[in-house]
Amino acid sequence: MIVSYFKAQPTEYVMQVVDGKTRRQGLGLSFPYMPLKTNIVLVPTSSMDGNFVFNEVTNNFQQVTIQGQYTYRIANAERAAETMNFTIDARSRKRMSTDLERLPQRVANVIQLHTRAEIQALTLEETIRQSDTVANAVYAQVQSSEVLAELGVAVLGLHFLSITPTPEVGKALEADYRETLLRKADEAIYARREAAVENEQKIQEKQMDADIALAAQRDKLLDLEGANALKEAETRGKATEEEAAYRARALEMELKAYSALTPQEILALGIKSIGDNAQKVGNLTITSEVLAALLDSKGTPSGKS
């Protein structure tokens, strides 16, 4: 009797089947077995990744290519072993069927089924713009899928990496979006120029208001200066008149002292004054008429000879 020993990994669910009956089962089991009578079913329970590329049509008859990735694991190993063949050769650990290799495609088919239902309810623009929303909706439906539950599979994550239209439609969308961006840029430039014109107009209005206020202040200053000059002239005129009056008064008082003198006496005083200031006199000519006036008996000062 040949006895062998089998040791599973911690993430491998093992079922030992002897004569058509399950002798033992569980995660990471290790046990001796007789190769001629024992079948070993090995179900991996670790998470695995899968990729997909779908071509679907939106409700406005536009084709899109959806590329994504998903993560799944066998959550119910017993259910999976009932629907798929996970029997292995215990010595070589080679699988006796390709069910495990076909499992990612089965999961991808379920994902595509729900993705198609979501895409067909949206337009091309909505599909591209709402890729995250579509992915979340598909993920929620996949988690509750009865097909995957029968396979004992649970999807742990689902991501749409890209949703792209056909090249021709993509170029058209890019052109339309580019024109939209250029139009927005033109509108921004126009708005900036309009704001600059408005600001310049406000600056000119403020400058004009400042000029008007300055001109008004200048007019007030001129009026004030004119009033001050007029007032100063009037004051100066009054002072001149008063000064002239004082001078006339002084001259009148000074001449009043000579009013009692005869002309000969006044003439004599004048000659005497000249003599007192002889050093200031260069030449002095006394005519005979002056002497005659002084010596004339009729003109003798005070009537004296």
Side-chain angles (χ1 to χ4, degrees):
M1 180 182 297
I2 300 174
V3 177
S4 299
Y5 189 82
F6 181 83
K7 181 178 182 181
Q9 299 295 323
T11 58
E12 294 174 333
Y13 190 91
V14 182
M15 300 176 65
Q16 182 185 13
V17 180
V18 179
D19 296 330
K21 296 181 180 180
T22 303
R23 181 70 58 86
R24 58 169 66 89
Q25 60 184 10
L27 284 173
L29 296 182
S30 300
F31 52 86
Y33 68 95
M34 293 184 292
L36 298 179
K37 299 179 61 177
T38 304
N39 290 323
I40 295 179
V41 177
L42 187 65
V43 181
T45 60
S46 60
S47 61
M48 293 170 280
D49 294 327
N51 300 314
F52 59 84
V53 178
F54 303 148
N55 291 319
E56 301 296 338
V57 178
T58 64
N59 68 353
N60 55 350
F61 307 104
Q62 298 298 319
Q63 183 175 338
V64 292
T65 300
I66 305 170
Q67 182 178 358
Q69 185 182 55
Y70 62 93
T71 302
Y72 70 99
R73 66 181 292 268
I74 298 176
N76 190 333
E78 294 182 22
R79 177 66 59 84
E82 292 175 1
T83 56
M84 290 177 285
N85 185 5
F86 290 100
T87 304
I88 65 171
D89 182 346
R91 291 184 179 180
S92 64
R93 301 180 73 92
K94 182 179 179 181
R95 296 193 174 275
M96 308 302 293
S97 73
T98 59
D99 285 354
L100 184 61
E101 286 75 12
R102 295 200 303 268
L103 182 59
Q105 185 59 46
R106 292 184 178 181
V107 177
N109 291 339
V110 174
I111 294 174
Q112 184 176 12
L113 178 66
H114 294 289
T115 301
R116 179 175 300 164
E118 291 293 327
I119 296 299
Q120 289 179 349
L122 300 174
T123 64
L124 173 63
E125 292 79 2
E126 292 172 341
T127 302
I128 296 175
R129 187 166 52 248
Q130 302 175 14
S131 60
D132 291 340
T133 303
V134 175
N136 292 333
V138 172
Y139 177 58
Q141 295 177 19
V142 167
Q143 283 186 312
S144 59
S145 171
E146 294 182 358
V147 175
L148 294 182
E150 288 296 325
L151 294 175
V153 176
V155 176
L156 305 179
L158 175 63
H159 305 282
F160 285 175
L161 302 179
S162 66
I163 298 180
T164 56
T166 60
E168 295 78 9
V169 175
K171 290 180 180 179
L173 291 176
E174 290 176 1
D176 181 65
Y177 184 67
R178 182 166 55 252
E179 291 299 325
T180 302
L181 291 180
L182 293 176
R183 185 166 56 252
K184 289 183 178 180
D186 293 339
E187 291 175 355
I189 293 173
Y190 173 77
R192 185 164 58 250
R193 290 179 178 175
E194 184 178 13
V197 171
E198 291 179 357
N199 292 333
E200 182 66 24
Q201 184 177 359
K202 290 179 181 179
I203 292 174
Q204 291 179 357
E205 290 176 355
K206 290 182 179 180
Q207 184 65 38
M208 187 178 298
D209 292 340
D211 293 340
I212 293 173
L214 183 61
Q217 293 292 333
R218 188 181 296 110
D219 291 340
K220 290 182 180 180
L221 179 61
L222 292 175
D223 292 341
L224 182 60
E225 289 179 350
N228 290 337
L230 181 58
K231 185 176 181 180
E232 183 179 355
E234 291 176 354
T235 302
R236 188 163 54 249
K238 290 180 180 180
T240 303
E241 290 177 359
E242 292 178 357
E243 183 179 357
Y246 284 131
R247 289 179 181 176
R249 178 79 174 174
L251 182 57
E252 182 183 355
M253 293 177 65
E254 183 178 356
L255 294 176
K256 189 176 182 181
Y258 296 95
S259 62
L261 300 176
T262 64
Q264 289 82 5
E265 290 176 336
I266 293 174
L267 182 57
L269 287 174
I271 294 173
K272 182 178 181 299
S273 177
I274 291 172
D276 293 337
N277 295 282
Q279 68 276 7
K280 298 180 181 179
V281 178
N283 294 312
L284 178 63
T285 303
I286 300 175
T287 64
S288 58
E289 288 82 2
V290 176
L291 291 176
L294 291 174
L295 298 177
D296 188 5
S297 59
K298 293 181 180 180
T300 303
S302 300
K304 296 180 183 180
S305 56

